[in-house]
Amino acid sequence: MPALASWVVLSGATTDLVVEHIATLQLVPSHLRPPCPSQQRIFLWCGINSPPPAVLDIPIIRHAWSLALRSSLDEATNYGAGLRKFHVFCDTFSIPESDCLPAAFPLLHSFAIWAVTDPDLEDAMFADGTVFETVSIPTVRKYLAAIHAWHLAQGWPPPLSETKREHLEFSLRGMARRQGVSRKRPLRPPITLPMMHALQSALSLNNSFDACIWAMATAAFFGLMRFGEVSVPSRTAYHADHYLSRNACLVTTDADGCPYAWLRLPHAKTSMIGDVQDVFLVEQVGLCPLCALHNLALFSPAAGTDPLFSWRDRIGTIRPMLKTAALSRINTILSEAGWGTAFGHSFCIGGASFYLAQGVSAEIVRLHGRWHSLPYEVYIRAFEQIASCHLANQTVVG
């Protein structure tokens, strides 16, 4: 069994149940799971069984197939946590390695149930020392997607048929009712216009670092961009075919002579693999994203292949803006001004809420934000901003 996890239900000397807080669950070391970056796990972690041939045993064909797999799974970073969680479960319950890959439905069903179980401290069945590290229903769905991708990357067919998926979803719906709201992520706080004005006032726009953050903030807010689309997770993660480069930004004029910026996203969360998505930024009064981009070019000049949202350090080296660094600077300013913490989607949701509250049609906002349909959260935040205009003083008799 691995080192014990976040907490375990124990039976004490009396009938009372005790909750013991312990360290994070750890994997049992195995040569089948070599240490590697998270995004490499679905390729490097393997099983003891040999998959059936997926292509002919011709070296050039196998190489082309390997390249196709890696391109299809270019979001493999998101699968690492799910794959790790699955192996922790298998270690915890001593599942034989031969049963882990390929994984049968009973194993995957059991894993999903275990991952979302919130033990009831008044239920004596949970007092047997079983280890739990509970996650939300949406999270376990992502874990199952990781296991699905792992099977494909290792040459195995998909582990779940449509019928088995329906069976599993039926169980998850029941677990969701048991979890209630305890595991639901709270609504992300939206960025508002007063917050944007506070950022503009506090940032030193003639400083390369702050100029970059301001350009990111205005692009994310008015362009309805996720913060991961204007930043990178690490300095080494940047490459121009995945993130915005200076060449991917064109400032021009439309048919009416009005200026706008055209950003070409080579990769986006809502796009198909290989599809480029377009973001259009137009002039705004006071908080203009076009002015912010011009200011960025002035104080952070860079080559066309450099990151669009980049800054120069003290020795003049171009650096891509890290998501953590940008949000840290932004949240420091917002906290000092008396607001809470902003998250990666706060600008996108805030911008969409702003447009809806200004009377922009929902269809235009949906298209601008590159959504298939407007998230419920956006509607709630937009209504929150204008509720008093529509609902206040309804008890006054004329």
Side-chain angles (χ1 to χ4, degrees):
M1 176 178 287
L4 295 184
S6 50
W7 55 276
V8 182
V9 182
L10 305 170
S11 54
T14 67
T15 57
D16 294 333
L17 297 177
V18 180
V19 177
E20 181 180 359
H21 294 269
I22 313 177
T24 304
L25 282 165
Q26 299 296 320
L27 283 168
V28 171
S30 170
H31 69 281
L32 299 172
R33 301 188 292 268
C36 62
S38 176
Q39 67 268 25
Q40 291 297 318
R41 288 174 186 164
I42 63 171
F43 303 112
L44 299 183
W45 287 12
C46 59
I48 62 174
N49 299 315
S50 298
V55 295
L56 297 176
D57 192 18
I58 301 172
I60 189 64
I61 298 297
R62 293 188 62 82
H63 177 67
W65 173 61
S66 174
L67 294 176
L69 271 180
R70 289 178 179 270
S71 296
S72 294
L73 299 170
D74 67 348
E75 285 299 310
T77 302
N78 298 329
Y79 297 139
L83 197 53
R84 179 188 180 280
K85 189 81 164 187
F86 173 68
H87 282 92
V88 164
F89 169 81
C90 293
D91 289 344
T92 299
F93 292 95
S94 302
I95 306 300
E97 289 289 355
S98 58
D99 293 343
C100 296
L101 184 68
F105 174 73
L107 175 58
L108 296 179
H109 194 192
S110 300
F111 164 67
I113 295 297
W114 169 79
V116 299
T117 294
D118 255 333
D120 183 350
L121 301 186
E122 297 181 359
D123 188 339
M125 285 296 294
F126 289 112
D128 67 348
T130 298
V131 182
F132 292 91
E133 196 176 60
T134 311
V135 298
S136 68
I137 302 296
T139 298
V140 85
R141 289 193 178 106
K142 294 178 182 178
Y143 288 172
L144 291 169
I147 297 169
H148 174 94
W150 181 50
H151 276 68
L152 297 180
Q154 293 297 317
W156 293 97
L160 291 174
S161 65
E162 284 301 316
T163 301
K164 296 302 185 183
R165 283 181 181 275
E166 291 176 6
H167 189 170
L168 201 152
E169 278 297 321
F170 183 80
S171 297
L172 291 181
R173 284 195 295 271
M175 298 303 292
R177 293 190 180 98
R178 289 189 57 82
Q179 281 191 355
V181 299
S182 62
R183 294 278 166 185
K184 286 188 177 180
R185 178 187 290 176
L187 291 177
R188 299 176 182 88
I191 294 293
T192 62
L193 281 187
M195 292 179 181
M196 291 293 288
H197 282 291
L199 285 176
Q200 185 184 41
S201 298
L203 292 169
S204 301
L205 299 185
N206 58 354
N207 171 275
S208 178
F209 185 85
D210 279 5
C212 183
I213 288 181
W214 179 239
M216 295 168 67
T218 55
F221 185 85
F222 291 109
L224 308 189
M225 301 176 72
R226 294 87 183 153
F227 221 69
E229 295 172 344
V230 296
S231 61
V232 296
S234 67
R235 185 180 179 184
T236 57
Y238 172 78
H239 44 93
D241 59 350
H242 197 89
Y243 294 97
L244 281 169
S245 67
R246 295 285 170 108
N247 283 335
C249 175
L250 173 67
V251 179
T252 184
T253 56
D254 62 20
D256 296 322
C258 299
Y260 70 94
W262 179 10
L263 310 185
R264 307 217 71 200
L265 275 172
H267 178 85
K269 184 177 180 180
T270 56
S271 67
M272 298 294 290
I273 294 173
D275 287 350
V276 174
Q277 289 195 349
D278 298 316
V279 177
F280 299 97
L281 303 174
V282 298
E283 285 186 310
Q284 302 290 341
V285 177
L287 305 171
C288 183
L290 302 187
C291 295
L293 287 173
H294 176 76
N295 187 68
L296 173 65
L298 181 63
F299 289 102
S300 292
T305 55
D306 286 328
L308 172 59
F309 297 105
S310 55
W311 59 285
R312 288 183 177 271
D313 63 18
R314 286 178 293 181
I315 61 174
T317 302
I318 287 288
R319 293 178 176 269
M321 181 59 74
L322 304 189
K323 182 177 180 179
T324 52
L327 288 177
S328 175
R329 177 75 170 117
I330 288 167
N331 284 325
T332 296
I333 293 171
L334 296 182
S335 296
E336 290 175 352
W339 285 295
T341 301
F343 298 93
H345 277 55
S346 295
F347 285 88
C348 177
I349 292 169
S353 302
F354 164 74
Y355 285 131
L356 289 173
Q358 297 302 309
V360 177
S361 77
E363 179 63 9
I364 293 297
V365 174
R366 182 190 70 79
L367 291 172
H368 187 42
R370 295 163 286 125
W371 283 296
H372 297 296
S373 61
L374 271 185
Y376 163 81
E377 189 171 349
V378 170
Y379 283 113
I380 289 297
R381 292 310 194 183
F383 183 72
E384 182 180 298
Q385 295 185 34
I386 61 173
S388 61
C389 298
H390 295 279
L391 302 178
N393 301 318
Q394 296 299 308
T395 58
V396 177
V397 180

